Amino acid sequence: MTHFPFRLAVFDLDGTLLGPDKEISPANAAAVVQLQSLGCTVVLASGRPHGNILRFQTQLGLQGPIVSGNGALVKVEGTGEVWRAVLFDLKLANLLLDEGRKLGITQIWDGPQGVVGWERTRHFEILEERTKATYEVVGDPRLRFPGESPFKILWIADATQIAELDQIWRARLGSRSYITITDPEYLEFSDPSVNKATALQIVAERLEIPREEIVFFGDGDNDAELLRWAGLGVAMPHSRPLALAAADTIGPEAPEENAVAAAVKQLLV
């Protein structure tokens, strides 16, 4: 009889569960369904906003919590229950919005009230294309949401500029912000307590599942903390270097769109 040695399986979306077409392949979907049939709870954990994860939650028939915004929000969609909501410091958000404006950076505000952009640019359209979503353009989001804090601020630019800004702002903000590159063109800023590992600690406590019985599949810089924290951290073979270094193991070589299926198959006993 097939057995899966973990009670909770957590999946990143972009670059992990989703293929280059930003969809779940039949093979990956079948692997998730098989885990559920074996009694394993499945949770999605992504840098995407909560609303942009819902269609994948529905596609896979999942009922539990969703980890969004790199761990800033943990919400059970069916009941509306919020297990975690960590807002970014408003002064730092204002600083980043002002500095990003000076730099001409495409900026996205992701907060409890929704996801909005400052203006429509080439990079803004790349975000909409990749997430297969439409976001409202409102100008300065502080005028739309006066005095309110976001979950995170997202800067989008060419990959070379993002790599440079990542180093500059890590040095400038230090421990005052969690800073991560989620795509080569995306630089994200949120509260320093935010990452997928701190979010999953809350999920694990709520579900009463020990860390040792949790497996996580990821590929990106924003997956590194959870790859280290989980009982088993599995990096996709095409992962970024930071994820590869953090993982306990690397999944077998496979087409990117089917890498999760190959990694799950390797763990089945």
Side-chain angles (χ1 to χ4, degrees):
M1 181 177 177
T2 302
H3 171 69
F4 188 66
F6 298 94
R7 291 173 56 199
L8 174 61
V10 185
F11 294 92
D12 168 56
L13 286 180
D14 295 276
T16 302
L17 196 58
L18 307 186
D21 63 352
K22 300 301 181 181
E23 298 290 345
I24 304 174
S25 71
N28 282 357
V32 173
V33 170
Q34 182 180 18
L35 293 187
Q36 293 180 86
S37 73
L38 294 172
C40 181
T41 299
V42 174
V43 168
L44 304 181
S46 174
R48 292 187 181 215
H50 178 86
N52 197 245
I53 303 173
L54 289 177
R55 71 183 183 95
F56 303 114
Q57 179 94 344
T58 300
Q59 178 183 349
L60 296 169
L62 304 180
Q63 302 295 325
I66 294 172
V67 176
S68 61
N70 294 319
L73 178 66
V74 180
K75 182 179 178 181
V76 182
E77 180 60 26
T79 64
E81 187 179 6
V82 175
W83 291 1
R84 185 192 208 200
V86 181
L87 298 176
F88 193 27
D89 180 83
L90 184 56
K91 290 183 179 179
L92 287 183
N94 287 336
L95 171 65
L96 290 165
L97 290 170
D98 290 339
E99 292 293 326
R101 193 65 177 164
K102 292 176 187 176
L103 291 167
I105 293 287
T106 296
Q107 302 193 86
I108 305 297
W109 168 288
D110 179 353
Q113 314 84 353
V115 181
V116 299
W118 193 305
E119 61 185 348
R120 183 165 292 278
T121 65
R122 174 174 63 89
H123 288 111
F124 182 86
E125 292 173 352
I126 289 173
L127 174 69
E128 289 190 320
E129 180 182 343
R130 288 180 180 173
T131 58
K132 299 186 178 182
T134 300
Y135 303 110
E136 188 178 5
V137 174
V138 301
D140 189 338
R142 293 169 291 190
L143 300 179
R144 171 63 68 90
F145 310 119
E148 299 184 30
S149 297
F151 292 126
K152 67 179 182 181
I153 298 293
L154 166 61
W155 283 359
I156 313 177
D158 290 339
T160 300
Q161 185 179 13
I162 288 297
E164 294 172 353
L165 290 170
D166 178 49
Q167 296 302 312
I168 291 169
W169 283 89
R170 285 181 187 276
R172 183 166 177 180
L173 295 183
S175 61
R176 291 188 291 162
S177 175
Y178 175 65
I179 303 174
T180 185
I181 294 176
T182 51
D183 258 354
E185 302 87 358
Y186 300 172
L187 184 62
E188 306 196 4
F189 303 85
S190 52
D191 184 86
S193 68
V194 166
N195 62 62
K196 293 183 182 180
T198 55
L200 258 296
Q201 290 177 38
I202 293 170
V203 172
E205 289 171 5
R206 287 284 192 132
L207 298 179
E208 298 183 340
I209 298 176
R211 170 182 174 181
E212 295 74 22
E213 297 182 25
I214 300 172
V215 59
F216 172 58
F217 302 83
D219 77 293
D221 288 1
N222 61 328
D223 295 324
E225 292 87 358
L226 185 49
L227 285 167
R228 285 192 292 264
W229 181 84
L232 182 69
V234 183
M236 301 298 95
H238 53 267
S239 294
R240 289 173 62 93
L242 194 61
L244 291 171
D248 299 303
T249 188
I250 299 170
E253 290 295 331
E256 185 173 337
E257 65 272 18
N258 297 330
V260 158
V264 168
K265 182 179 180 180
Q266 189 176 57
L267 295 178
L268 291 171
V269 294

